[in-house]
Amino acid sequence: MVRAIVGANWGDEGKGKITDMLAKESDIIIRFQGGSNAGHTIINNYGKFALHLLPSGVFYHHTTSIIGNGVALNIPYLLKEIKELESKGVPTPKILVSDRAQILMPYHILQDTYEEARLAGKSFGSTKSGIAPFYSDKYAKIGFQVSELFDEAYLKEKVERVCEIKNVLFEHLYHKEALKPEEVFQTLLEYREMIKPYLCDVSLYLYQAIKDGKRILLEGQLGSLKDPDHGIYPMVTSSSTLAAYGAIGAGIPPYEIKNITTVVKAYSSAVGAGAFVSEIFGEEAEELRKRGGDGGEYGATTGRPRRMGWFDAVATKYGCRVQGTTEVALTVLDVLGYLDEIPMCVGYEIDGKIVTDFPTTVWLEKAKPVFKKYPGWKCDIRGIRNYDELPKECKDYIDAIEREIEVPITLVSNGPGREDIIIRTQK
Ligand code: GDP
């Protein structure tokens, strides 16, 4: 049985917590896209962790954690993350890395940094983790697949060829030092030794695992609206954030993905530039930011304050649809307990017309939010474990979201901890 956990919004929906929770009932957890450019926050008995590259299943003894071929593999970063777990007393997890994964190189990070500086005010708000240059190179066929590290003669020749292209940019566009092919080659040989113990033919491993009836989780990073095709292009990430891509980024048949659990936030937050229709500003935003998540809405990777907004039903309905959502986990509901009234964006006004279907970016840039207000519940709902014990206004708010997004909400998260979860059975 394969289940995907993905985000419906701009990322930071609380996927880490839901994955960690569902990982308990899983045998295998796989990262299938992205890299170390975003982070999941997980709080458990070992402490608080911000995982960037490792799947959220690494805290359980019975699970195997996999980095799929679709991931931007930063090898030193991965090893650093493994060491960090060990230093905090987490037993060494079982980790496998696809031999078809491609390697994120130090020069990708340099290129990302130089390009952000060049674009200055017009930048995309990159985390400078090298993700965009990495995926560009992969599809331009000048990336390094892990398997290529094992043919030295071929590798040496390819490094020369790649450096020739990269150096045109480095020397003439960015006016920086040229890459030295010999150094790049040596780095790759070092990486080979570091990653060797983890390598695996992942799609073959999963083929067998599916045959054996193992419970498999695909763990997405970021959310629908950051998808390069279906998101707010060009303010998107460079790999697909959709559950469908799990089939490719892990190497399994698409029809094996039976459940798509989409994580939805009870309010909105976003990082980086781009249209964000239900965004709020000033004190109203600061209040929500301070109260949000666990200790405030600040990036897990960058520490940047997140942009804040009210729940956007238009964007979330779309976000759930493009994921192929079968059920929704609604998170951070507890955070809204301070409000007398809770605004929800239920439509966009574009050129005088009200629309409820999410448009392409050019139209989105013109959209103004249409808000509807719901009564607040004015109390702390943390600690409640039984759905029926939630205040009426809170249940009404959940029902309203469900009506808007047209997919069942089966899980409600009312706190950052593992135990802060309410199962909502369908009426
Ligand atoms: P991810 O990238 O989707 O995993 O999202 P994050 O790691 O950024 O998670 C968002 C933040 O919200 C983290 O600090 C979590 O600990 C926290 N969090 C998750 N679910 C809840 C919840 O239901 N209530 C509260 N208050 N915080 C939550």
Side-chain angles (χ1 to χ4, degrees), residues 12-17 39-41 43 293-294 306 332 334-335 382 413-416:
D12 307 315
E13 295 93 350
K15 293 178 296 296
K17 175 189 153 164
H40 293 307
T41 314
I43 301 166
D294 178 46
R306 291 178 180 147
V332 294
D334 51 302
V335 170
R382 279 200 198 184
S413 171
N414 61 336

Side-chain angles (χ1 to χ4, degrees), residues 216-282:
I216 299 169
L217 265 190
L218 296 169
E219 178 181 3
Q221 183 207 41
L222 299 169
S224 306
L225 305 173
K226 292 283 184 183
D227 184 76
D229 287 270
H230 296 282
I232 51 169
Y233 189 84
M235 302 299 180
V236 292
T237 193
S238 304
S239 66
S240 175
T241 55
L242 303 184
Y245 191 74
I248 296 158
I252 58 166
Y255 54 77
E256 292 295 348
I257 307 173
K258 306 289 186 213
N259 288 300
I260 299 172
T261 304
T262 302
V263 185
V264 164
K265 236 171 143 145
Y267 54 86
S268 301
S269 72
V271 286
F276 181 12
V277 180
S278 69
E279 185 166 12
I280 52 174
F281 303 91

Side-chain angles (χ1 to χ4, degrees), residues 12 39 41 48 50 265 267 269-271 285-308:
D12 307 315
T41 314
K48 183 172 176 173
K265 236 171 143 145
Y267 54 86
S269 72
V271 286
E286 191 47 35
E287 181 80 50
L288 184 58
R289 185 179 298 116
K290 267 198 327 236
R291 292 171 179 271
D294 178 46
E297 291 281 358
Y298 303 93
T301 303
T302 58
R304 289 189 290 197
R306 291 178 180 147
R307 296 165 69 192
M308 306 302 297

